[in-house]
Amino acid sequence: MEIQVMKNILGENDRVAAENQALFREKKVYVLNLMGSPGSGKTSILEQTMEHLKGELSMAVIEGDLFTSKDAERIERHGVPVIQINTAGGCHLDAPMVQKVVNRLELDKLDLLIVENVGNLVCPAEFVVGEDEKAVILSITEGDDKPMKYPLIFKESSVAVLNKIDLLPYTNFNLAGAKEDISTLHPGIDIIEASCSTKQGVDMWCKWLKARVANKK
């Protein structure tokens, strides 16, 4: 019975996600579902993205958190439209949540919409929201065992950003091993080494995004 309930939940979510995706396709907006653990640096990567692509792309953010609007306030300071979704304890965003708020954005004027999902390496990977692709942020400080411990999120993502790479010398993180594990789980996945402190990899990340946006137009 539990399995059937889960199938029903995922089925309804997929139906609404397809509606969202059709809308985004009509408006020619590239939508990225950004996932990662709490503290992996998702919001910091977003801030770097806003600054780097300012004047090049028209962007907006849907910010998912259990409680508070602290991350949304950080994004708002960069002059980018942002909508906060609080799940009140829910471990992920789903397609109906996104559908309820997306009409508050001027989609006709957007090139890029990033959905920053709730900090979690499990549930967000299971629920599509209507995105074109998923991305996962893994910080060096989380440990190199995470890809194999949480494989689905890496299998579902088109790009993995290894964040806080500047801290590598101060950890026992096996960079080569982690990259091999990620590529084994998802052959062909793009892997970007990045640091929001030193700006390493930010240009490569933004080039990746711009190429995706261009392909959607």
Side-chain angles (χ1 to χ4, degrees):
M1 182 62 69
E2 290 181 2
I3 294 174
Q4 185 60 46
V5 169
M6 188 60 181
K7 283 183 178 178
N8 290 341
I9 291 172
L10 289 172
E12 175 61 16
N13 185 80
D14 289 350
R15 184 189 67 77
V16 178
E19 293 177 359
N20 292 344
Q21 195 167 57
L23 175 63
F24 298 141
R25 188 184 306 115
E26 176 191 343
K27 301 298 183 180
K28 297 183 179 179
V29 180
Y30 175 76
V31 182
L32 183 72
N33 188 348
L34 186 65
M35 308 175 296
S37 297
S40 62
K42 297 186 300 299
T43 306
S44 295
I45 287 285
L46 273 179
E47 288 184 292
Q48 292 295 324
T49 305
M50 306 296 113
E51 286 302 304
H52 203 83
L53 295 180
K54 188 180 294 183
E56 292 189 60
L57 296 178
S58 176
M59 298 170 281
V61 173
I62 293 176
E63 184 68 47
D65 266 312
L66 276 72
F67 303 98
T68 83
S69 59
K70 291 183 180 293
D71 287 347
E73 290 165 9
R74 286 171 60 183
I75 298 300
E76 199 168 35
R77 286 197 288 268
H78 294 269
V80 171
V82 57
I83 296 174
Q84 178 73 54
I85 298 177
N86 288 124
T87 63
C91 60
H92 63 276
L93 296 180
D94 60 27
M97 291 177 188
V98 171
Q99 188 175 64
K100 286 178 182 177
V101 302
V102 76
N103 62 353
R104 290 159 53 187
L105 294 170
E106 295 184 88
L107 294 177
D108 289 317
K109 297 181 179 179
L110 291 183
D111 301 307
L112 171 64
L113 171 61
I114 298 180
V115 179
E116 182 180 351
N117 221 308
V118 177
N120 190 328
L121 285 177
V122 182
C123 302
E126 298 179 350
F127 286 80
V128 292
V129 298
E131 71 273 13
D132 290 286
E133 294 176 286
K134 291 182 172 72
V136 59
I137 310 291
L138 174 67
S139 71
I140 297 301
T141 53
E142 292 176 73
D144 53 51
D145 59 341
K146 294 303 179 291
M148 287 305 183
K149 290 177 77 171
Y150 303 95
L152 183 61
I153 199 166
F154 293 91
K155 290 179 180 179
E156 291 291 319
S157 295
S158 298
V159 59
V161 179
L162 302 181
N163 194 27
K164 307 182 185 180
I165 197 71
D166 55 305
L167 299 180
L168 186 63
Y170 310 104
T171 72
N172 61 357
F173 190 95
N174 184 339
L175 181 60
K179 292 170 76 170
E180 182 178 352
D181 286 347
I182 293 169
S183 295
T184 298
L185 291 168
H186 186 167
I189 189 174
D190 292 312
I191 301 175
I192 298 172
E193 299 173 23
S195 166
C196 294
S197 298
T198 67
K199 308 298 189 293
Q200 177 183 341
V202 172
D203 184 62
M204 184 180 297
W205 161 249
C206 290
K207 283 181 178 177
W208 187 94
L209 281 174
K210 287 193 291 185
R212 259 46 188 190
V213 170
N215 286 338
K216 189 72 181 278
K217 294 301 182 183

